[in-house]
Coordinates of all heavy atoms in Angstrom, one line a residue:
V13 N -7.0 30.3 4.5 CA -7.0 31.6 4.9 C -5.8 32.3 4.2 O -4.7 31.9 4.2 CB -6.9 31.7 6.4 CG1 -6.8 33.1 6.9 CG2 -8.1 31.0 7.0
L28 N -5.4 37.3 16.2 CA -6.8 37.5 16.1 C -7.6 36.3 15.8 O -8.6 36.1 16.5 CB -7.1 38.5 14.9 CG -6.7 40.0 15.2 CD1 -6.7 40.9 13.9 CD2 -7.8 40.6 16.1
L29 N -7.1 35.4 15.0 CA -7.7 34.1 14.8 C -7.9 33.3 16.1 O -8.9 32.8 16.5 CB -7.1 33.3 13.7 CG -7.3 33.8 12.3 CD1 -6.5 32.9 11.4 CD2 -8.8 33.8 11.9
E30 N -6.7 33.3 16.8 CA -6.7 32.5 18.1 C -7.6 33.2 19.1 O -8.4 32.5 19.8 CB -5.3 32.3 18.6 CG -5.1 31.5 19.9 CD -5.7 30.1 19.7 OE1 -5.5 29.6 18.6 OE2 -6.3 29.6 20.6
A32 N -10.2 35.0 18.6 CA -11.6 34.9 18.1 C -12.1 33.4 18.4 O -13.2 33.2 18.9 CB -11.8 35.1 16.6
R33 N -11.3 32.5 18.2 CA -11.6 31.1 18.5 C -12.0 31.0 20.0 O -12.9 30.4 20.3 CB -10.4 30.2 18.2 CG -10.7 28.7 18.2 CD -9.4 27.9 17.7 NE -9.2 28.0 16.3 CZ -8.2 28.6 15.7 NH1 -7.3 29.2 16.4 NH2 -8.1 28.7 14.4
F36 N -15.3 33.2 20.8 CA -16.5 32.5 20.3 C -16.8 31.2 21.1 O -18.0 30.8 21.3 CB -16.4 32.2 18.8 CG -16.4 33.5 18.0 CD1 -15.6 33.5 16.8 CD2 -16.9 34.7 18.5 CE1 -15.5 34.7 16.1 CE2 -16.9 35.9 17.7 CZ -16.1 35.9 16.5
F63 N -10.5 41.8 9.0 CA -11.8 41.1 8.9 C -12.9 42.2 8.9 O -13.4 42.5 9.9 CB -12.0 40.1 10.0 CG -10.9 39.2 10.2 CD1 -10.0 39.4 11.3 CD2 -10.7 38.1 9.4 CE1 -8.9 38.5 11.4 CE2 -9.7 37.2 9.6 CZ -8.7 37.4 10.6
D68 N -16.7 37.6 8.0 CA -15.4 37.3 7.4 C -14.5 36.6 8.6 O -13.7 35.8 8.3 CB -14.6 38.6 7.1 CG -15.3 39.2 5.8 OD1 -15.9 38.5 5.0 OD2 -15.1 40.5 5.6
L69 N -14.8 37.0 9.8 CA -13.9 36.5 10.9 C -14.4 35.1 11.2 O -13.6 34.2 11.3 CB -14.1 37.3 12.2 CG -13.4 36.9 13.4 CD1 -11.8 36.9 13.0 CD2 -13.5 37.9 14.5
F70 N -15.7 34.8 11.1 CA -16.2 33.4 11.4 C -15.6 32.5 10.2 O -15.2 31.4 10.5 CB -17.7 33.4 11.3 CG -18.5 34.0 12.4 CD1 -19.7 34.7 12.1 CD2 -18.1 34.0 13.7 CE1 -20.3 35.4 13.0 CE2 -18.7 34.6 14.6 CZ -19.9 35.3 14.4
H71 N -15.7 32.9 9.0 CA -15.1 32.2 7.9 C -13.7 31.9 8.1 O -13.3 30.7 7.9 CB -15.4 33.0 6.6 CG -15.0 32.3 5.4 ND1 -13.6 32.4 4.9 CD2 -15.6 31.5 4.5 CE1 -13.6 31.8 3.8 NE2 -14.7 31.1 3.5
A72 N -12.9 32.8 8.4 CA -11.5 32.6 8.5 C -11.1 31.7 9.7 O -10.3 30.9 9.6 CB -10.8 34.0 8.8
V73 N -11.8 31.9 10.8 CA -11.6 31.0 12.0 C -11.9 29.6 11.6 O -11.1 28.6 11.9 CB -12.4 31.4 13.2 CG1 -12.5 30.2 14.3 CG2 -12.0 32.7 13.8
Y74 N -13.0 29.3 10.9 CA -13.4 28.0 10.4 C -12.4 27.4 9.4 O -11.8 26.2 9.7 CB -14.8 27.9 9.8 CG -15.2 26.5 9.5 CD1 -15.7 25.6 10.4 CD2 -15.1 26.1 8.1 CE1 -16.0 24.4 10.1 CE2 -15.4 24.9 7.8 CZ -15.9 24.0 8.7 OH -16.3 22.6 8.4
V75 N -12.1 28.1 8.5 CA -11.1 27.7 7.5 C -9.8 27.4 8.1 O -9.1 26.4 7.8 CB -11.0 28.6 6.2 CG1 -9.8 28.3 5.3 CG2 -12.3 28.7 5.5
D76 N -9.3 28.3 9.0 CA -8.0 28.1 9.7 C -8.0 26.8 10.5 O -7.1 26.1 10.6 CB -7.7 29.2 10.5 CG -6.3 29.1 11.1 OD1 -5.3 29.1 10.4 OD2 -6.2 29.2 12.4
E77 N -9.2 26.5 11.1 CA -9.3 25.2 11.9 C -9.2 24.0 11.0 O -8.5 23.0 11.3 CB -10.7 25.2 12.6 CG -10.8 24.2 13.7 CD -9.9 24.5 14.9 OE1 -9.5 25.7 15.1 OE2 -9.6 23.6 15.6
I78 N -9.8 24.0 9.8 CA -9.6 23.0 8.8 C -8.1 22.9 8.4 O -7.6 21.7 8.3 CB -10.5 23.2 7.5 CG1 -12.0 23.0 7.9 CG2 -10.1 22.2 6.4 CD1 -12.4 21.5 8.3
T110 N -14.6 24.2 17.8 CA -14.6 25.5 17.1 C -15.9 25.5 16.2 O -16.7 26.5 16.0 CB -13.4 25.7 16.2 OG1 -12.3 25.7 17.1 CG2 -13.5 26.9 15.3
I114 N -19.4 28.2 16.1 CA -19.7 29.2 15.0 C -20.6 28.7 13.9 O -21.0 29.4 13.0 CB -18.4 29.8 14.4 CG1 -17.6 28.7 13.7 CG2 -17.6 30.6 15.4 CD1 -16.4 29.2 12.8

Side-chain angles (χ1 to χ4, degrees):
V13 174
L28 284 163
L29 286 179
E30 185 57 36
R33 191 177 286 114
F36 297 147
F63 308 104
D68 291 333
L69 185 55
F70 294 141
H71 180 273
V73 167
Y74 182 79
V75 171
D76 189 59
E77 196 68 24
I78 290 290
T110 297
I114 63 172

